[in-house]
Amino acid sequence: MPSVAFIGAGSVVFTRQLLADLLRFPELADLEIRLHDIDAQRLVVAEGTARQVNERLGARATIVPALDRAAALDGVDFVVNMVQVGGIAATRTDLEIPARYGLLQTIGDTTGIGGVFRGLRTFPFLTGLLGDMGRLCPDAVFLNYTNPMAMNVWWASVVAPEIRTIGLCHSVYWTVHDLCELIGVPLEGTRFRAAGVNHQAWLLEWSRDGESLYPRLRETIAAQPELERRVRVEMFRRLGYYPTETSEHSSEYLDWFLRSPEQVERFRIEPLQYIGISEENVAEFEHAQRALAAAEPLELEEGAAEYAPQVIHSMVTGTEREIHGNLVNRGLIDNLPEGAVVEVPVRVDGDGLHPVAMGSIPTQGAALNRAYVSVAELTIEAARTGSKERVRQAVLADPNASSSLTPEQIWALCDELTAAHGDLIQPDLR
């Protein structure tokens, strides 16, 4: 039976969701699950979680904890990455220091200054991980969940182009799920496809029985004026296509919202929101730790619909399905740069991953995507060449940053963030 390595398994809530989705497939009940984390305490909780999930679902998986990454990777078939370099302390730094300068973010994990510095912290780790995969499991499929998604998958294509890599994110699925719920249409039986970049793709097709569901959405918005106070609804009104990430995320990718206190209030945006979310994640870990110590059952979410278990199931059993994934743009979206990482539909079967070429996406969507891609491209070049100037130019290219701060302020802010992150940043960029 195939083996799956979870790298960063101490992300116990996400690990639990992925394991539950995996082991609910009868064909995968005998998987070998290898759990790796550098934090011994978190690894103990991850192991306890895995053993409980395995038992409660009646599966027969072999659970192998490993503090040593090489042991977790040796000969494995699938590698699932969910590492967050720097943890909650780095998240606070990415959000709080820019806020002191007047640059507001909500999540800070995708693009903009938070995405740039999260990427710079993560690239050295990815280089090491992918190098280990090249030695120990060169045929494994690398399933990346770690943000900044587009930058990390792009970096993987630079340092380890031989490794089969796909970036996975549930944002497209949950966008459609929630929209169907909003308009009162069952998700089952709908057809949907999106394309663009991660966290800023566009719902290009959303239909049922051959009929577009967009007219129903417009009717629902017209009947509920409060919906117009949401960032994504405003983007839909102005662009004609619904974006595939939450309003909280989407607000920081544009220069439309966070630079103005009036816009922040109008669209009910909560700056620095991810700090609270991160604190909740820590509390969830502590709760799981206590529950396992008391032999209490952990909550198992039904139908988390994560893509990694579906990919693994399809490749192992040959079951055909379509997901959305993040891959290098090689003829997938005509009006976004070749070599960048884009999000498109992907067919999965026993032969692997088959991305769907989407042609050109709507011009107005591509225009916004290009700013996002430029930030990622400059960040990749900064790390590849050791250019401090490119780091600052990457932030300067971000619409939210450049509309909130002067270039001089951006340079000073990058200096302070670099010093604050210290050894987490590669030496030639400090």
Side-chain angles (χ1 to χ4, degrees):
M1 183 52 73
S3 51
V4 182
F6 287 70
I7 308 300
S11 305
V12 292
V13 176
F14 197 45
T15 296
R16 186 196 316 163
Q17 292 172 349
L18 292 176
L19 283 170
D21 278 4
L22 270 173
L23 298 180
R24 283 191 175 107
F25 287 117
E27 302 92 337
L28 301 181
D30 295 303
L31 278 177
E32 180 181 342
I33 304 291
R34 304 185 194 176
L35 305 170
H36 167 69
D37 204 283
I38 61 173
D39 185 318
Q41 187 179 37
R42 282 187 169 268
L43 185 59
V44 167
V45 176
E47 180 186 0
T49 297
R51 295 194 185 282
Q52 187 184 116
V53 170
N54 192 35
E55 181 180 351
R56 286 171 60 186
L57 295 180
R60 302 170 300 278
T62 301
I63 310 299
V64 183
L67 281 169
D68 177 52
R69 188 167 74 195
L73 292 175
D74 192 17
V76 80
D77 298 297
F78 299 92
V79 177
V80 180
N81 177 45
M82 44 194 169
V83 167
Q84 181 183 345
V85 176
I88 190 172
T91 295
R92 287 185 180 279
T93 297
D94 283 343
L95 293 173
E96 291 178 346
I97 292 178
R100 289 208 315 264
Y101 281 73
L103 174 55
L104 298 181
Q105 303 166 92
T106 48
I107 309 296
D109 71 352
T110 302
T111 186
I113 194 160
V116 168
F117 276 85
R118 184 178 282 237
L120 294 176
R121 294 196 304 275
T122 307
F123 295 164
F125 160 78
L126 283 176
T127 301
L129 172 61
L130 291 162
D132 286 349
M133 287 182 63
R135 290 187 300 106
L136 299 168
C137 53
D139 297 325
V141 179
F142 183 52
L143 307 172
N144 180 68
Y145 275 102
T146 296
N147 285 317
M149 178 65 70
M151 292 189 201
N152 287 338
V153 174
W154 197 335
W155 184 253
S157 76
V158 171
V159 298
E162 72 282 1
I163 298 293
R164 288 184 292 172
T165 297
I166 185 171
L168 301 175
C169 176
H170 53 214
S171 61
V172 174
Y173 171 85
W174 284 109
T175 291
V176 176
H177 175 281
D178 292 351
L179 285 177
C180 286
E181 193 173 77
L182 178 65
I183 67 171
V185 170
L187 174 64
E188 187 176 355
T190 63
R191 175 176 170 81
F192 60 92
R193 277 185 165 180
V197 292
N198 181 240
H199 291 177
Q200 198 186 62
W202 313 101
L203 190 58
L204 303 180
E205 181 181 356
W206 178 38
S207 63
R208 187 177 184 83
D209 299 326
E211 176 189 353
S212 173
L213 295 173
Y214 269 142
R216 293 199 198 189
L217 177 59
R218 291 187 175 93
E219 291 169 6
T220 300
I221 292 169
Q224 300 180 43
E226 276 298 294
L227 290 174
E228 295 184 1
R229 296 186 62 207
R230 298 301 293 156
V231 165
R232 284 207 283 184
V233 172
E234 175 73 351
M235 293 174 67
F236 173 53
R237 289 178 63 214
R238 305 303 178 186
L239 301 171
Y241 292 90
Y242 208 81
T244 59
E245 189 46 275
T246 64
S247 288
E248 290 72 28
H249 275 274
S250 296
S251 66
E252 66 184 11
Y253 306 155
L254 305 173
D255 54 5
W256 304 3
F257 301 105
L258 287 166
R259 65 175 177 175
S260 162
E262 293 77 20
Q263 289 287 81
V264 169
E265 180 179 358
R266 178 184 174 189
F267 290 100
R268 298 177 288 182
I269 303 168
E270 183 185 339
L272 283 64
Q273 184 175 3
Y274 198 59
I275 292 175
I277 294 171
S278 298
E279 290 170 346
E280 290 170 5
N281 290 340
V282 172
E284 285 273 6
F285 166 76
E286 293 170 348
H287 170 75
Q289 191 175 38
R290 291 191 300 269
L292 289 169
E296 296 173 354
L298 299 169
E299 180 182 354
L300 294 186
E301 186 175 336
E302 287 286 344
E306 291 295 342
Y307 283 146
Q310 297 178 48
V311 170
I312 293 168
H313 180 262
S314 286
M315 293 186 69
V316 170
T317 67
T319 303
E320 295 185 13
R321 51 169 54 90
E322 185 172 289
I323 63 168
H324 283 77
N326 295 270
L327 300 115
V328 176
N329 187 24
R330 296 190 179 100
L332 300 178
I333 297 180
D334 293 342
N335 52 348
L336 290 179
E338 284 280 313
V341 170
V342 295
E343 189 164 62
V344 295
V346 181
R347 290 184 296 103
V348 193
D349 58 24
D351 293 325
L353 304 163
H354 314 284
V356 177
M358 297 297 287
S360 291
I361 63 174
T363 307
Q364 66 273 31
L368 297 184
N369 290 160
R370 287 190 199 105
Y372 173 121
V373 168
S374 293
V375 174
E377 182 178 25
L378 285 160
T379 306
I380 296 292
E381 186 173 329
R384 187 176 55 79
T385 64
S387 170
K388 298 177 183 178
E389 188 174 52
R390 290 292 181 273
V391 174
R392 286 138 185 84
Q393 290 166 345
V395 178
L396 190 63
D398 171 58
N400 184 39
S402 60
S403 67
S404 300
L405 302 179
T406 66
E408 185 176 5
Q409 289 172 315
I410 287 172
W411 257 244
L413 172 54
C414 289
D415 290 344
E416 187 170 345
L417 275 175
T418 301
H421 285 306
D423 291 346
L424 295 178
I425 304 295
Q426 65 190 59
D428 54 1
L429 292 179
R430 290 181 223 149

PDB file of all heavy atoms in Angstrom, residues 267-292:
ATOM      1  N   PHE A 267     -16.740  48.269   4.092  1.00  0.00           N
ATOM      2  CA  PHE A 267     -16.708  46.869   3.685  1.00  0.00           C
ATOM      3  C   PHE A 267     -16.426  45.924   4.846  1.00  0.00           C
ATOM      4  O   PHE A 267     -16.124  44.753   4.636  1.00  0.00           O
ATOM      5  CB  PHE A 267     -15.703  46.686   2.548  1.00  0.00           C
ATOM      6  CG  PHE A 267     -16.169  47.303   1.258  1.00  0.00           C
ATOM      7  CD1 PHE A 267     -15.702  48.546   0.857  1.00  0.00           C
ATOM      8  CD2 PHE A 267     -17.122  46.672   0.480  1.00  0.00           C
ATOM      9  CE1 PHE A 267     -16.159  49.133  -0.318  1.00  0.00           C
ATOM     10  CE2 PHE A 267     -17.583  47.246  -0.696  1.00  0.00           C
ATOM     11  CZ  PHE A 267     -17.110  48.487  -1.090  1.00  0.00           C
ATOM     12  N   ARG A 268     -16.534  46.425   6.054  1.00  0.00           N
ATOM     13  CA  ARG A 268     -16.478  45.602   7.271  1.00  0.00           C
ATOM     14  C   ARG A 268     -15.217  44.746   7.317  1.00  0.00           C
ATOM     15  O   ARG A 268     -15.250  43.546   7.596  1.00  0.00           O
ATOM     16  CB  ARG A 268     -17.735  44.718   7.367  1.00  0.00           C
ATOM     17  CG  ARG A 268     -19.015  45.512   7.477  1.00  0.00           C
ATOM     18  CD  ARG A 268     -20.247  44.632   7.503  1.00  0.00           C
ATOM     19  NE  ARG A 268     -20.516  44.042   6.198  1.00  0.00           N
ATOM     20  CZ  ARG A 268     -21.572  43.260   5.931  1.00  0.00           C
ATOM     21  NH1 ARG A 268     -22.422  42.975   6.882  1.00  0.00           N
ATOM     22  NH2 ARG A 268     -21.751  42.760   4.722  1.00  0.00           N
ATOM     23  N   ILE A 269     -14.076  45.392   7.050  1.00  0.00           N
ATOM     24  CA  ILE A 269     -12.786  44.702   7.022  1.00  0.00           C
ATOM     25  C   ILE A 269     -12.154  44.776   8.410  1.00  0.00           C
ATOM     26  O   ILE A 269     -12.217  45.809   9.080  1.00  0.00           O
ATOM     27  CB  ILE A 269     -11.857  45.335   5.975  1.00  0.00           C
ATOM     28  CG1 ILE A 269     -12.515  45.301   4.586  1.00  0.00           C
ATOM     29  CG2 ILE A 269     -10.518  44.611   5.941  1.00  0.00           C
ATOM     30  CD1 ILE A 269     -11.802  46.143   3.553  1.00  0.00           C
ATOM     31  N   GLU A 270     -11.527  43.699   8.821  1.00  0.00           N
ATOM     32  CA  GLU A 270     -10.838  43.650  10.111  1.00  0.00           C
ATOM     33  C   GLU A 270      -9.332  43.539   9.876  1.00  0.00           C
ATOM     34  O   GLU A 270      -8.807  42.445   9.679  1.00  0.00           O
ATOM     35  CB  GLU A 270     -11.325  42.448  10.926  1.00  0.00           C
ATOM     36  CG  GLU A 270     -10.714  42.364  12.305  1.00  0.00           C
ATOM     37  CD  GLU A 270     -11.124  41.104  13.046  1.00  0.00           C
ATOM     38  OE1 GLU A 270     -12.157  40.500  12.684  1.00  0.00           O
ATOM     39  OE2 GLU A 270     -10.390  40.707  13.975  1.00  0.00           O
ATOM     40  N   PRO A 271      -8.602  44.660   9.888  1.00  0.00           N
ATOM     41  CA  PRO A 271      -7.149  44.575   9.695  1.00  0.00           C
ATOM     42  C   PRO A 271      -6.491  43.699  10.757  1.00  0.00           C
ATOM     43  O   PRO A 271      -6.960  43.603  11.895  1.00  0.00           O
ATOM     44  CB  PRO A 271      -6.698  46.031   9.818  1.00  0.00           C
ATOM     45  CG  PRO A 271      -7.912  46.830   9.425  1.00  0.00           C
ATOM     46  CD  PRO A 271      -9.072  46.054   9.977  1.00  0.00           C
ATOM     47  N   LEU A 272      -5.408  43.045  10.375  1.00  0.00           N
ATOM     48  CA  LEU A 272      -4.620  42.173  11.249  1.00  0.00           C
ATOM     49  C   LEU A 272      -5.418  40.958  11.740  1.00  0.00           C
ATOM     50  O   LEU A 272      -5.109  40.356  12.771  1.00  0.00           O
ATOM     51  CB  LEU A 272      -4.048  42.944  12.453  1.00  0.00           C
ATOM     52  CG  LEU A 272      -2.830  43.833  12.207  1.00  0.00           C
ATOM     53  CD1 LEU A 272      -3.125  44.981  11.256  1.00  0.00           C
ATOM     54  CD2 LEU A 272      -2.284  44.378  13.513  1.00  0.00           C
ATOM     55  N   GLN A 273      -6.418  40.567  10.995  1.00  0.00           N
ATOM     56  CA  GLN A 273      -7.319  39.497  11.421  1.00  0.00           C
ATOM     57  C   GLN A 273      -6.603  38.172  11.648  1.00  0.00           C
ATOM     58  O   GLN A 273      -6.990  37.376  12.505  1.00  0.00           O
ATOM     59  CB  GLN A 273      -8.431  39.313  10.388  1.00  0.00           C
ATOM     60  CG  GLN A 273      -9.494  38.284  10.773  1.00  0.00           C
ATOM     61  CD  GLN A 273     -10.636  38.236   9.772  1.00  0.00           C
ATOM     62  OE1 GLN A 273     -10.614  38.927   8.759  1.00  0.00           O
ATOM     63  NE2 GLN A 273     -11.623  37.427  10.054  1.00  0.00           N
ATOM     64  N   TYR A 274      -5.545  37.936  10.888  1.00  0.00           N
ATOM     65  CA  TYR A 274      -4.900  36.628  10.955  1.00  0.00           C
ATOM     66  C   TYR A 274      -4.189  36.388  12.278  1.00  0.00           C
ATOM     67  O   TYR A 274      -3.931  35.230  12.650  1.00  0.00           O
ATOM     68  CB  TYR A 274      -3.925  36.453   9.793  1.00  0.00           C
ATOM     69  CG  TYR A 274      -3.558  35.010   9.541  1.00  0.00           C
ATOM     70  CD1 TYR A 274      -4.543  34.069   9.238  1.00  0.00           C
ATOM     71  CD2 TYR A 274      -2.240  34.578   9.602  1.00  0.00           C
ATOM     72  CE1 TYR A 274      -4.211  32.741   9.013  1.00  0.00           C
ATOM     73  CE2 TYR A 274      -1.899  33.258   9.375  1.00  0.00           C
ATOM     74  CZ  TYR A 274      -2.895  32.341   9.076  1.00  0.00           C
ATOM     75  OH  TYR A 274      -2.570  31.027   8.863  1.00  0.00           O
ATOM     76  N   ILE A 275      -3.893  37.444  13.005  1.00  0.00           N
ATOM     77  CA  ILE A 275      -3.296  37.237  14.328  1.00  0.00           C
ATOM     78  C   ILE A 275      -4.295  36.497  15.218  1.00  0.00           C
ATOM     79  O   ILE A 275      -3.948  35.525  15.900  1.00  0.00           O
ATOM     80  CB  ILE A 275      -2.885  38.578  14.958  1.00  0.00           C
ATOM     81  CG1 ILE A 275      -1.715  39.181  14.165  1.00  0.00           C
ATOM     82  CG2 ILE A 275      -2.496  38.389  16.433  1.00  0.00           C
ATOM     83  CD1 ILE A 275      -1.305  40.562  14.629  1.00  0.00           C
ATOM     84  N   GLY A 276      -5.540  36.936  15.207  1.00  0.00           N
ATOM     85  CA  GLY A 276      -6.565  36.262  15.992  1.00  0.00           C
ATOM     86  C   GLY A 276      -6.794  34.836  15.525  1.00  0.00           C
ATOM     87  O   GLY A 276      -6.963  33.918  16.343  1.00  0.00           O
ATOM     88  N   ILE A 277      -6.800  34.633  14.206  1.00  0.00           N
ATOM     89  CA  ILE A 277      -6.964  33.280  13.664  1.00  0.00           C
ATOM     90  C   ILE A 277      -5.809  32.388  14.109  1.00  0.00           C
ATOM     91  O   ILE A 277      -6.007  31.227  14.492  1.00  0.00           O
ATOM     92  CB  ILE A 277      -7.061  33.336  12.128  1.00  0.00           C
ATOM     93  CG1 ILE A 277      -8.342  34.064  11.705  1.00  0.00           C
ATOM     94  CG2 ILE A 277      -7.013  31.934  11.526  1.00  0.00           C
ATOM     95  CD1 ILE A 277      -8.422  34.359  10.220  1.00  0.00           C
ATOM     96  N   SER A 278      -4.601  32.930  14.088  1.00  0.00           N
ATOM     97  CA  SER A 278      -3.427  32.153  14.507  1.00  0.00           C
ATOM     98  C   SER A 278      -3.508  31.803  15.992  1.00  0.00           C
ATOM     99  O   SER A 278      -3.133  30.690  16.397  1.00  0.00           O
ATOM    100  CB  SER A 278      -2.146  32.950  14.223  1.00  0.00           C
ATOM    101  OG  SER A 278      -2.007  33.201  12.840  1.00  0.00           O
ATOM    102  N   GLU A 279      -3.983  32.729  16.797  1.00  0.00           N
ATOM    103  CA  GLU A 279      -4.155  32.448  18.231  1.00  0.00           C
ATOM    104  C   GLU A 279      -5.195  31.354  18.446  1.00  0.00           C
ATOM    105  O   GLU A 279      -5.039  30.495  19.327  1.00  0.00           O
ATOM    106  CB  GLU A 279      -4.545  33.725  18.963  1.00  0.00           C
ATOM    107  CG  GLU A 279      -3.415  34.736  19.041  1.00  0.00           C
ATOM    108  CD  GLU A 279      -3.857  36.096  19.550  1.00  0.00           C
ATOM    109  OE1 GLU A 279      -5.084  36.346  19.591  1.00  0.00           O
ATOM    110  OE2 GLU A 279      -2.982  36.914  19.910  1.00  0.00           O
ATOM    111  N   GLU A 280      -6.243  31.365  17.633  1.00  0.00           N
ATOM    112  CA  GLU A 280      -7.243  30.302  17.709  1.00  0.00           C
ATOM    113  C   GLU A 280      -6.638  28.950  17.334  1.00  0.00           C
ATOM    114  O   GLU A 280      -6.975  27.913  17.925  1.00  0.00           O
ATOM    115  CB  GLU A 280      -8.427  30.623  16.794  1.00  0.00           C
ATOM    116  CG  GLU A 280      -9.279  31.789  17.267  1.00  0.00           C
ATOM    117  CD  GLU A 280     -10.300  32.227  16.224  1.00  0.00           C
ATOM    118  OE1 GLU A 280     -10.401  31.547  15.177  1.00  0.00           O
ATOM    119  OE2 GLU A 280     -10.986  33.234  16.456  1.00  0.00           O
ATOM    120  N   ASN A 281      -5.723  28.952  16.356  1.00  0.00           N
ATOM    121  CA  ASN A 281      -5.062  27.709  15.963  1.00  0.00           C
ATOM    122  C   ASN A 281      -4.205  27.152  17.098  1.00  0.00           C
ATOM    123  O   ASN A 281      -4.160  25.931  17.315  1.00  0.00           O
ATOM    124  CB  ASN A 281      -4.199  27.938  14.715  1.00  0.00           C
ATOM    125  CG  ASN A 281      -5.025  28.183  13.473  1.00  0.00           C
ATOM    126  OD1 ASN A 281      -6.195  27.838  13.409  1.00  0.00           O
ATOM    127  ND2 ASN A 281      -4.420  28.804  12.473  1.00  0.00           N
ATOM    128  N   VAL A 282      -3.525  28.042  17.816  1.00  0.00           N
ATOM    129  CA  VAL A 282      -2.739  27.604  18.974  1.00  0.00           C
ATOM    130  C   VAL A 282      -3.658  27.015  20.041  1.00  0.00           C
ATOM    131  O   VAL A 282      -3.367  25.966  20.634  1.00  0.00           O
ATOM    132  CB  VAL A 282      -1.917  28.771  19.539  1.00  0.00           C
ATOM    133  CG1 VAL A 282      -1.263  28.376  20.861  1.00  0.00           C
ATOM    134  CG2 VAL A 282      -0.860  29.226  18.532  1.00  0.00           C
ATOM    135  N   ALA A 283      -4.786  27.673  20.266  1.00  0.00           N
ATOM    136  CA  ALA A 283      -5.752  27.170  21.249  1.00  0.00           C
ATOM    137  C   ALA A 283      -6.296  25.807  20.833  1.00  0.00           C
ATOM    138  O   ALA A 283      -6.516  24.930  21.681  1.00  0.00           O
ATOM    139  CB  ALA A 283      -6.890  28.170  21.426  1.00  0.00           C
ATOM    140  N   GLU A 284      -6.508  25.620  19.532  1.00  0.00           N
ATOM    141  CA  GLU A 284      -6.981  24.319  19.017  1.00  0.00           C
ATOM    142  C   GLU A 284      -5.948  23.230  19.282  1.00  0.00           C
ATOM    143  O   GLU A 284      -6.300  22.096  19.645  1.00  0.00           O
ATOM    144  CB  GLU A 284      -7.266  24.420  17.523  1.00  0.00           C
ATOM    145  CG  GLU A 284      -8.546  25.165  17.172  1.00  0.00           C
ATOM    146  CD  GLU A 284      -9.754  24.243  17.180  1.00  0.00           C
ATOM    147  OE1 GLU A 284      -9.610  23.066  17.576  1.00  0.00           O
ATOM    148  OE2 GLU A 284     -10.831  24.708  16.801  1.00  0.00           O
ATOM    149  N   PHE A 285      -4.680  23.552  19.086  1.00  0.00           N
ATOM    150  CA  PHE A 285      -3.623  22.584  19.385  1.00  0.00           C
ATOM    151  C   PHE A 285      -3.641  22.211  20.864  1.00  0.00           C
ATOM    152  O   PHE A 285      -3.574  21.028  21.228  1.00  0.00           O
ATOM    153  CB  PHE A 285      -2.255  23.150  19.010  1.00  0.00           C
ATOM    154  CG  PHE A 285      -1.105  22.369  19.589  1.00  0.00           C
ATOM    155  CD1 PHE A 285      -0.738  21.154  19.042  1.00  0.00           C
ATOM    156  CD2 PHE A 285      -0.422  22.845  20.693  1.00  0.00           C
ATOM    157  CE1 PHE A 285       0.303  20.412  19.581  1.00  0.00           C
ATOM    158  CE2 PHE A 285       0.616  22.113  21.245  1.00  0.00           C
ATOM    159  CZ  PHE A 285       0.986  20.901  20.690  1.00  0.00           C
ATOM    160  N   GLU A 286      -3.740  23.216  21.726  1.00  0.00           N
ATOM    161  CA  GLU A 286      -3.746  22.951  23.167  1.00  0.00           C
ATOM    162  C   GLU A 286      -4.964  22.132  23.577  1.00  0.00           C
ATOM    163  O   GLU A 286      -4.871  21.258  24.449  1.00  0.00           O
ATOM    164  CB  GLU A 286      -3.683  24.277  23.930  1.00  0.00           C
ATOM    165  CG  GLU A 286      -2.353  25.003  23.726  1.00  0.00           C
ATOM    166  CD  GLU A 286      -2.359  26.412  24.273  1.00  0.00           C
ATOM    167  OE1 GLU A 286      -3.463  26.914  24.601  1.00  0.00           O
ATOM    168  OE2 GLU A 286      -1.273  27.021  24.360  1.00  0.00           O
ATOM    169  N   HIS A 287      -6.103  22.394  22.933  1.00  0.00           N
ATOM    170  CA  HIS A 287      -7.301  21.605  23.209  1.00  0.00           C
ATOM    171  C   HIS A 287      -7.089  20.150  22.795  1.00  0.00           C
ATOM    172  O   HIS A 287      -7.461  19.220  23.543  1.00  0.00           O
ATOM    173  CB  HIS A 287      -8.500  22.190  22.468  1.00  0.00           C
ATOM    174  CG  HIS A 287      -9.716  21.301  22.495  1.00  0.00           C
ATOM    175  ND1 HIS A 287     -10.506  21.153  23.619  1.00  0.00           N
ATOM    176  CD2 HIS A 287     -10.253  20.492  21.537  1.00  0.00           C
ATOM    177  CE1 HIS A 287     -11.477  20.295  23.360  1.00  0.00           C
ATOM    178  NE2 HIS A 287     -11.350  19.889  22.110  1.00  0.00           N
ATOM    179  N   ALA A 288      -6.516  19.934  21.630  1.00  0.00           N
ATOM    180  CA  ALA A 288      -6.254  18.576  21.168  1.00  0.00           C
ATOM    181  C   ALA A 288      -5.289  17.854  22.104  1.00  0.00           C
ATOM    182  O   ALA A 288      -5.463  16.666  22.409  1.00  0.00           O
ATOM    183  CB  ALA A 288      -5.687  18.606  19.752  1.00  0.00           C
ATOM    184  N   GLN A 289      -4.295  18.578  22.572  1.00  0.00           N
ATOM    185  CA  GLN A 289      -3.324  18.006  23.499  1.00  0.00           C
ATOM    186  C   GLN A 289      -4.020  17.528  24.775  1.00  0.00           C
ATOM    187  O   GLN A 289      -3.785  16.412  25.259  1.00  0.00           O
ATOM    188  CB  GLN A 289      -2.264  19.068  23.810  1.00  0.00           C
ATOM    189  CG  GLN A 289      -1.049  18.583  24.553  1.00  0.00           C
ATOM    190  CD  GLN A 289      -0.023  19.692  24.703  1.00  0.00           C
ATOM    191  OE1 GLN A 289      -0.375  20.855  24.927  1.00  0.00           O
ATOM    192  NE2 GLN A 289       1.241  19.343  24.560  1.00  0.00           N
ATOM    193  N   ARG A 290      -4.899  18.362  25.320  1.00  0.00           N
ATOM    194  CA  ARG A 290      -5.627  17.989  26.547  1.00  0.00           C
ATOM    195  C   ARG A 290      -6.589  16.826  26.290  1.00  0.00           C
ATOM    196  O   ARG A 290      -6.704  15.910  27.100  1.00  0.00           O
ATOM    197  CB  ARG A 290      -6.393  19.196  27.092  1.00  0.00           C
ATOM    198  CG  ARG A 290      -5.514  20.309  27.652  1.00  0.00           C
ATOM    199  CD  ARG A 290      -6.337  21.338  28.412  1.00  0.00           C
ATOM    200  NE  ARG A 290      -7.339  21.964  27.560  1.00  0.00           N
ATOM    201  CZ  ARG A 290      -7.129  23.079  26.857  1.00  0.00           C
ATOM    202  NH1 ARG A 290      -5.940  23.664  26.901  1.00  0.00           N
ATOM    203  NH2 ARG A 290      -8.084  23.606  26.114  1.00  0.00           N
ATOM    204  N   ALA A 291      -7.283  16.878  25.162  1.00  0.00           N
ATOM    205  CA  ALA A 291      -8.253  15.833  24.851  1.00  0.00           C
ATOM    206  C   ALA A 291      -7.575  14.475  24.706  1.00  0.00           C
ATOM    207  O   ALA A 291      -8.077  13.457  25.208  1.00  0.00           O
ATOM    208  CB  ALA A 291      -9.013  16.196  23.578  1.00  0.00           C
ATOM    209  N   LEU A 292      -6.435  14.449  24.032  1.00  0.00           N
ATOM    210  CA  LEU A 292      -5.729  13.186  23.861  1.00  0.00           C
ATOM    211  C   LEU A 292      -5.215  12.653  25.195  1.00  0.00           C
ATOM    212  O   LEU A 292      -5.277  11.443  25.461  1.00  0.00           O
ATOM    213  CB  LEU A 292      -4.567  13.363  22.883  1.00  0.00           C
ATOM    214  CG  LEU A 292      -4.951  13.566  21.413  1.00  0.00           C
ATOM    215  CD1 LEU A 292      -3.733  13.997  20.601  1.00  0.00           C
ATOM    216  CD2 LEU A 292      -5.549  12.291  20.825  1.00  0.00           C
TER     217      LEU A 292
END
